Structure formats: structure tokens, C-alpha cells
Amino acid sequence: RQAVEESGFERDELIGRHYLEADLFLTEFHDDMIQSFRWLKENREVRRLEAAFMAKKGVVFVEINAIPLNDRYLIAINNITEQKKAADELRRSRDELEKRVAERTVELQLKNEALANEIQEREVIEEELLASRKRLRSVIDNIPHYIFWKNKDSVYLGGNMNFALAAGYTSPKEIVGKTDFDMSWLRAHANAMVEMDKRVIKSGRREFHKFSTDAIDGRGEKSWEIIIVPLHNSSNEVIGVLGAFE
């Protein structure tokens, strides 16, 4: 009854037909079925195999259990079409997932390589920049002028060695964060220096100034010329001043 229902054929259409007839089981399963029944005949044991046949409603996948009974066989058929479809869908999903994972892996590898190259390029640029800064620092520290730079609030951000020593410090790092009011040899001129910074920052133009001091190098009174120029950022905005004594 189940065979009739699964196949869509009438009982009379199945009785007396050979299982290898072309309009029943698909030809691609014939060899396996022939070998299975041959084995069944020789060994007289239960044999299980999978096959597919053309039912009137389409292809039906079945699990066949053949049981030898004297000179005949009892054939138990179980429809596994839905299981096959689910397994095929699962396999397709797995293959698609593996494909996506492989594509994503390649994509990430390429990005990692690009990132590694970018990091390497940045390291080279940073090394070159550091070397350039060292060369610039060497030039600044070895010229006979007294050089410094400040932010917009007239707070020292740095200077060369000559300026640091003249200000009574041992290193340019020690003047960072100081103002003209902290410099003993410039204290008398601090207000004038700050006002000049403000004018340069506001106008964007350089200024010259002359003054005398007897404390800058400990050798008595001496006249000095100072030039103050504006410092700009990449947007051409004034962010401070650069000064030099001579």
C-alpha cells in the first residue's frame, strides 16, 4: 500500500514489473541495486540501500531494506525525500558558509597585509621625522643665536641650548612651561615681551625690539636685538611665536 501511495502508480501498474524498468528507478542507481540484490542472493542477509524512482509526482528518494524470504524478497521502502532535501540544503548552506569564510579570510588577510605595510610605512616616516628633528635640533643648538618658541599665551614651549643656558638652566627642557616672568634676566622686560607677542599673534607680522641687560651672560651690560615672528599651523592659523636674540 505504501509503495502504491509513494509511487502514485496503481497496484496493477506495479505488479509484474521488473525493478530496473526505466520508468521506475532512475538508471543512475541501477548498478548499485544490481550489486545489492546479487549480494543479497549470495549472502541471504538483510541489505539496505538508497535509490530514487520516478513517481508520478516527481522524483522520490527512498531507503530500501531487502529481506530474503526463501526464494523471494520482502522489500520495505521508506520515503527519505524530505531528509535528502534537508541534507542537501544543509550541505549547500555549509558550502556557502565555507565559501564566505574563505572569502572573508582572504579579505582579512589582504587587509592585514595592507595594515602591516601601512604600519611599516609609518614607522619609516616616523624614523625619518625623528632623524629630521634631531638634525634640526643639532642645527638650532649649534648656531650662535638665542632661539625660543612660545604658545599664544606666551608660555615657553622650547628653545635652543644657548637660550636655556642664558636663562640659567642646563637644558632646553627646563624652560618648557615657563614665562618671561620666570626668567630672572628678562623679568624687567617681561611685560614688553608679552605685549610684543600679543601684537605679533594678532597682526601676523614680525616685530623687532632692542633692549639691554646685564644678566644674560654674566658679563655686564649688553645690548640685544630680538625678532619675533608668528608660528602657523597647517591651516595657516597663528598658534604662537618664534623668537631669536642676537
Side-chain angles (χ1 to χ4, degrees), residues 167-221:
Y169 300 101
T170 59
S171 167
K173 293 181 180 179
E174 296 180 56
I175 68 173
V176 176
K178 301 291 193 301
T179 68
D180 292 308
F181 296 95
D182 299 313
M183 308 290 184
S184 58
W185 63 281
L186 283 176
R187 192 168 295 139
H189 305 278
N191 287 322
M193 295 279 288
V194 171
E195 289 302 316
M196 185 162 57
D197 293 343
K198 290 180 180 179
R199 290 195 300 272
V200 171
I201 291 171
K202 183 177 181 179
S203 67
R205 294 191 297 269
R206 67 181 64 188
E207 280 197 20
F208 295 90
H209 182 64
K210 290 184 178 182
F211 67 96
S212 298
T213 177
D214 57 0
I216 190 167
D217 56 8
R219 300 177 183 177
E221 186 172 304

Coordinates of all heavy atoms in Angstrom, one line a residue, residues 167-221:
A167 N 69.3 81.6 30.2 CA 68.2 81.8 31.2 C 68.5 81.2 32.5 O 67.7 81.2 33.4 CB 67.0 81.2 30.6
G168 N 69.7 80.5 32.6 CA 70.1 79.9 33.9 C 69.7 78.5 34.1 O 69.8 77.9 35.2
Y169 N 69.4 77.8 33.0 CA 69.0 76.4 33.0 C 70.1 75.5 32.3 O 71.0 76.0 31.6 CB 67.7 76.1 32.4 CG 66.5 76.9 33.0 CD1 66.0 78.1 32.5 CD2 66.0 76.5 34.2 CE1 65.0 78.8 33.1 CE2 65.0 77.2 34.9 CZ 64.5 78.3 34.3 OH 63.5 79.1 34.9
T170 N 70.0 74.2 32.6 CA 71.0 73.3 32.0 C 70.6 72.6 30.7 O 71.3 72.0 30.0 CB 71.5 72.3 33.0 OG1 70.3 71.5 33.4 CG2 72.1 72.9 34.2
S171 N 69.3 72.7 30.5 CA 68.7 72.0 29.3 C 67.5 72.8 28.8 O 66.7 73.4 29.6 CB 68.3 70.6 29.7 OG 67.5 70.0 28.7
P172 N 67.3 72.7 27.5 CA 66.1 73.4 26.9 C 64.8 72.8 27.5 O 63.8 73.6 27.5 CB 66.2 73.1 25.4 CG 67.6 72.9 25.2 CD 68.1 72.2 26.4
K173 N 64.8 71.6 28.0 CA 63.6 71.0 28.5 C 63.1 71.8 29.8 O 61.9 71.8 30.1 CB 63.8 69.5 28.9 CG 64.0 68.6 27.7 CD 64.2 67.2 28.1 CE 64.4 66.3 26.9 NZ 64.6 64.9 27.3
E174 N 64.1 72.4 30.5 CA 63.7 73.1 31.7 C 63.0 74.4 31.5 O 62.4 74.9 32.5 CB 65.0 73.3 32.5 CG 65.7 72.0 33.0 CD 67.0 72.3 33.8 OE1 66.9 73.1 34.8 OE2 68.1 71.9 33.4
I175 N 63.0 74.9 30.4 CA 62.3 76.2 30.1 C 60.9 76.0 29.7 O 60.1 76.9 29.7 CB 63.0 77.1 29.1 CG1 62.9 76.4 27.7 CG2 64.5 77.3 29.5 CD1 63.5 77.3 26.6
V176 N 60.5 74.7 29.4 CA 59.2 74.4 28.9 C 58.2 74.7 30.1 O 58.4 74.2 31.2 CB 59.0 72.9 28.5 CG1 57.6 72.6 28.1 CG2 59.9 72.7 27.3
G177 N 57.1 75.5 29.8 CA 56.1 75.8 30.8 C 56.4 77.1 31.5 O 55.6 77.6 32.3
K178 N 57.6 77.7 31.3 CA 58.0 78.9 32.0 C 57.4 80.1 31.2 O 57.1 80.0 30.0 CB 59.5 79.0 32.1 CG 60.2 77.9 32.9 CD 59.8 78.0 34.3 CE 60.7 77.0 35.2 NZ 60.6 75.6 34.8
T179 N 57.4 81.3 31.8 CA 57.1 82.5 31.1 C 58.2 83.5 31.3 O 59.2 83.2 32.0 CB 55.8 83.1 31.7 OG1 56.1 83.6 33.1 CG2 54.6 82.1 31.7
D180 N 58.1 84.7 30.7 CA 59.2 85.7 30.8 C 59.3 86.2 32.2 O 60.4 86.6 32.6 CB 58.9 86.9 29.9 CG 59.0 86.5 28.4 OD1 60.0 85.9 28.0 OD2 58.0 86.7 27.6
F181 N 58.2 86.1 33.0 CA 58.3 86.5 34.4 C 59.1 85.5 35.3 O 59.5 85.8 36.4 CB 56.9 86.7 34.9 CG 56.1 87.7 34.3 CD1 55.2 87.4 33.2 CD2 56.2 89.1 34.6 CE1 54.5 88.4 32.6 CE2 55.5 90.1 34.0 CZ 54.6 89.8 32.9
D182 N 59.3 84.3 34.7 CA 60.1 83.3 35.4 C 61.6 83.4 35.1 O 62.4 82.8 35.8 CB 59.6 81.9 35.1 CG 58.2 81.6 35.5 OD1 57.9 82.0 36.6 OD2 57.4 81.1 34.7
M183 N 61.9 84.2 34.1 CA 63.3 84.4 33.6 C 63.9 85.6 34.3 O 63.5 86.7 34.1 CB 63.4 84.6 32.1 CG 62.6 83.5 31.3 SD 63.4 81.9 31.4 CE 62.4 81.0 30.3
S184 N 64.9 85.4 35.2 CA 65.4 86.5 36.0 C 66.0 87.5 35.2 O 65.9 88.7 35.4 CB 66.4 85.9 37.0 OG 67.5 85.2 36.4
W185 N 66.7 87.2 34.1 CA 67.4 88.1 33.3 C 66.5 88.9 32.3 O 66.9 89.9 31.7 CB 68.5 87.5 32.5 CG 68.1 86.4 31.5 CD1 67.7 85.1 31.8 CD2 67.9 86.5 30.1 NE1 67.3 84.5 30.7 CE2 67.4 85.3 29.6 CE3 68.1 87.6 29.2 CZ2 67.2 85.1 28.3 CZ3 67.8 87.4 27.9 CH2 67.4 86.1 27.4
L186 N 65.2 88.4 32.2 CA 64.3 89.0 31.3 C 63.1 89.6 32.1 O 62.2 90.2 31.5 CB 63.7 88.0 30.3 CG 64.6 87.6 29.1 CD1 63.9 86.6 28.3 CD2 64.8 88.9 28.2
R187 N 63.1 89.5 33.4 CA 62.0 89.9 34.2 C 61.6 91.4 34.0 O 60.5 91.8 33.9 CB 62.2 89.6 35.7 CG 60.9 89.7 36.5 CD 61.2 89.1 37.9 NE 61.4 87.7 37.8 CZ 62.3 87.1 38.5 NH1 63.1 87.7 39.4 NH2 62.5 85.7 38.4
A188 N 62.7 92.2 33.9 CA 62.5 93.7 33.7 C 61.8 94.0 32.4 O 61.2 95.0 32.2 CB 63.8 94.4 33.8
H189 N 62.0 93.0 31.4 CA 61.4 93.3 30.1 C 60.2 92.4 29.8 O 59.7 92.3 28.7 CB 62.5 93.0 29.0 CG 63.7 93.8 29.2 ND1 63.9 95.1 28.8 CD2 64.9 93.5 29.8 CE1 65.1 95.5 29.1 NE2 65.7 94.6 29.8
A190 N 59.7 91.7 30.8 CA 58.7 90.7 30.7 C 57.4 91.3 30.1 O 56.8 90.7 29.1 CB 58.4 90.0 32.0
N191 N 57.0 92.4 30.6 CA 55.7 93.0 30.1 C 55.9 93.4 28.7 O 55.0 93.2 27.8 CB 55.4 94.2 31.0 CG 54.8 93.8 32.3 OD1 54.1 92.9 32.5 ND2 55.2 94.6 33.4
A192 N 57.0 94.0 28.3 CA 57.2 94.4 26.9 C 57.3 93.2 26.0 O 56.8 93.2 24.9 CB 58.5 95.2 26.8
M193 N 57.9 92.1 26.5 CA 58.0 90.8 25.7 C 56.6 90.3 25.4 O 56.2 89.9 24.3 CB 58.8 89.8 26.4 CG 60.3 90.2 26.5 SD 61.2 89.9 25.0 CE 61.3 88.1 25.0
V194 N 55.8 90.2 26.5 CA 54.4 89.6 26.3 C 53.6 90.5 25.4 O 52.8 90.0 24.6 CB 53.7 89.5 27.7 CG1 52.3 89.1 27.6 CG2 54.5 88.5 28.6
E195 N 53.7 91.8 25.5 CA 52.9 92.7 24.7 C 53.3 92.5 23.2 O 52.5 92.6 22.3 CB 53.1 94.2 25.1 CG 52.4 94.5 26.4 CD 50.9 94.2 26.4 OE1 50.3 94.6 25.4 OE2 50.4 93.6 27.4
M196 N 54.6 92.4 23.0 CA 55.1 92.2 21.6 C 54.6 90.9 21.1 O 54.1 90.8 19.9 CB 56.6 92.2 21.6 CG 57.2 92.1 20.2 SD 58.9 92.7 20.0 CE 59.7 91.6 21.2
D197 N 54.5 89.8 21.9 CA 54.0 88.5 21.5 C 52.5 88.7 21.0 O 52.1 88.2 20.0 CB 54.0 87.5 22.6 CG 55.4 87.1 23.0 OD1 56.3 87.3 22.2 OD2 55.6 86.5 24.1
K198 N 51.7 89.4 21.8 CA 50.3 89.7 21.5 C 50.1 90.4 20.2 O 49.3 90.0 19.4 CB 49.7 90.5 22.6 CG 49.5 89.7 23.9 CD 48.8 90.5 25.0 CE 48.7 89.8 26.3 NZ 48.0 90.6 27.4
R199 N 51.0 91.4 19.9 CA 50.9 92.2 18.7 C 51.2 91.3 17.5 O 50.5 91.3 16.5 CB 51.8 93.4 18.7 CG 51.4 94.5 19.7 CD 52.1 95.8 19.4 NE 53.6 95.6 19.5 CZ 54.2 95.8 20.7 NH1 53.6 96.1 21.8 NH2 55.6 95.6 20.7
V200 N 52.2 90.5 17.6 CA 52.6 89.6 16.5 C 51.6 88.6 16.2 O 51.2 88.3 15.1 CB 54.0 88.9 16.8 CG1 54.3 87.8 15.8 CG2 55.1 90.0 16.8
I201 N 51.0 88.0 17.3 CA 50.0 87.0 17.2 C 48.7 87.6 16.5 O 48.1 87.0 15.7 CB 49.6 86.4 18.5 CG1 50.8 85.5 19.0 CG2 48.3 85.5 18.5 CD1 50.6 85.0 20.4
K202 N 48.4 88.8 16.9 CA 47.2 89.5 16.4 C 47.4 89.9 14.9 O 46.5 89.7 14.1 CB 46.8 90.7 17.3 CG 45.6 91.4 16.8 CD 45.2 92.5 17.8 CE 43.9 93.2 17.4 NZ 43.6 94.3 18.3
S203 N 48.5 90.5 14.6 CA 48.7 91.0 13.3 C 49.3 90.0 12.3 O 49.1 90.1 11.1 CB 49.8 92.2 13.3 OG 51.1 91.7 13.7
G204 N 49.9 89.0 12.8 CA 50.5 88.0 11.9 C 51.8 88.5 11.3 O 52.3 87.9 10.3
R205 N 52.4 89.6 11.8 CA 53.6 90.2 11.2 C 54.7 90.2 12.3 O 54.5 90.3 13.5 CB 53.3 91.6 10.7 CG 52.4 91.7 9.6 CD 52.4 93.1 9.0 NE 51.9 94.1 9.9 CZ 50.6 94.5 10.1 NH1 49.7 93.9 9.3 NH2 50.3 95.4 11.0
R206 N 55.9 90.1 11.8 CA 57.1 90.1 12.7 C 57.4 91.4 13.3 O 56.9 92.5 12.8 CB 58.3 89.6 11.9 CG 58.8 90.6 10.8 CD 60.0 90.1 10.1 NE 59.7 88.8 9.4 CZ 60.6 88.1 8.8 NH1 61.9 88.4 8.8 NH2 60.2 87.0 8.1
E207 N 58.1 91.4 14.4 CA 58.5 92.7 15.1 C 59.9 92.5 15.6 O 60.4 91.5 15.9 CB 57.6 93.0 16.3 CG 56.3 93.6 15.9 CD 55.6 94.3 17.1 OE1 56.3 94.6 18.1 OE2 54.3 94.5 17.0
F208 N 60.6 93.7 15.6 CA 62.0 93.8 16.2 C 61.9 94.6 17.5 O 61.1 95.5 17.6 CB 62.9 94.5 15.2 CG 63.1 93.7 13.9 CD1 62.3 93.8 12.8 CD2 64.1 92.7 13.8 CE1 62.5 93.1 11.7 CE2 64.4 92.0 12.7 CZ 63.5 92.2 11.6
H209 N 62.8 94.3 18.3 CA 62.9 95.0 19.6 C 64.3 95.0 20.1 O 65.1 94.0 19.9 CB 62.0 94.4 20.6 CG 61.9 95.1 21.9 ND1 61.5 96.4 22.1 CD2 62.3 94.7 23.2 CE1 61.6 96.7 23.3 NE2 62.1 95.7 24.0
K210 N 64.7 96.1 20.7 CA 66.1 96.2 21.3 C 66.0 96.4 22.8 O 65.1 97.2 23.2 CB 66.9 97.4 20.7 CG 67.3 97.2 19.2 CD 68.1 98.3 18.7 CE 68.6 98.1 17.3 NZ 69.4 99.2 16.8
F211 N 66.8 95.8 23.5 CA 66.9 96.1 25.0 C 68.3 95.7 25.5 O 69.1 95.1 24.8 CB 65.8 95.2 25.7 CG 66.1 93.7 25.7 CD1 66.7 93.1 26.7 CD2 65.6 93.0 24.6 CE1 66.9 91.8 26.7 CE2 65.9 91.6 24.6 CZ 66.5 91.0 25.6
S212 N 68.5 96.1 26.7 CA 69.8 95.9 27.4 C 69.6 95.1 28.6 O 68.6 95.3 29.3 CB 70.5 97.2 27.7 OG 70.8 97.9 26.5
T213 N 70.6 94.3 28.9 CA 70.5 93.5 30.2 C 71.9 93.3 30.7 O 72.9 93.2 29.9 CB 69.8 92.2 30.0 OG1 69.8 91.5 31.2 CG2 70.5 91.4 28.9
D214 N 72.0 93.2 32.0 CA 73.4 92.9 32.5 C 73.4 91.5 33.1 O 74.3 91.2 33.9 CB 73.8 93.9 33.5 CG 72.7 94.0 34.7 OD1 71.7 93.3 34.6 OD2 72.9 94.8 35.6
A215 N 72.4 90.7 32.8 CA 72.4 89.4 33.5 C 72.3 88.2 32.5 O 72.5 87.1 32.9 CB 71.2 89.3 34.4
I216 N 72.3 88.5 31.2 CA 72.0 87.4 30.3 C 73.2 86.4 30.2 O 73.1 85.2 30.0 CB 71.7 87.9 28.9 CG1 71.2 86.8 28.0 CG2 72.9 88.6 28.3 CD1 70.6 87.2 26.7
D217 N 74.4 86.9 30.3 CA 75.6 86.0 30.3 C 76.6 86.3 31.4 O 77.7 85.7 31.4 CB 76.3 86.1 28.9 CG 76.7 87.6 28.6 OD1 76.6 88.4 29.5 OD2 77.2 87.8 27.5
G218 N 76.2 87.1 32.3 CA 77.1 87.4 33.5 C 78.3 88.2 33.1 O 79.2 88.2 33.9
R219 N 78.3 88.9 32.0 CA 79.5 89.7 31.6 C 79.2 91.2 31.6 O 79.8 92.0 30.9 CB 79.9 89.3 30.2 CG 80.3 87.8 30.1 CD 80.6 87.4 28.7 NE 80.9 86.0 28.5 CZ 81.2 85.4 27.4 NH1 81.2 86.2 26.3 NH2 81.5 84.1 27.4
G220 N 78.3 91.6 32.4 CA 77.9 93.0 32.4 C 76.8 93.4 31.4 O 76.2 92.5 30.8
E221 N 76.6 94.7 31.3 CA 75.5 95.1 30.4 C 75.8 94.9 29.0 O 76.9 95.1 28.5 CB 75.3 96.6 30.7 CG 74.0 97.1 29.9 CD 73.7 98.5 30.3 OE1 73.5 98.7 31.6 OE2 73.6 99.4 29.5

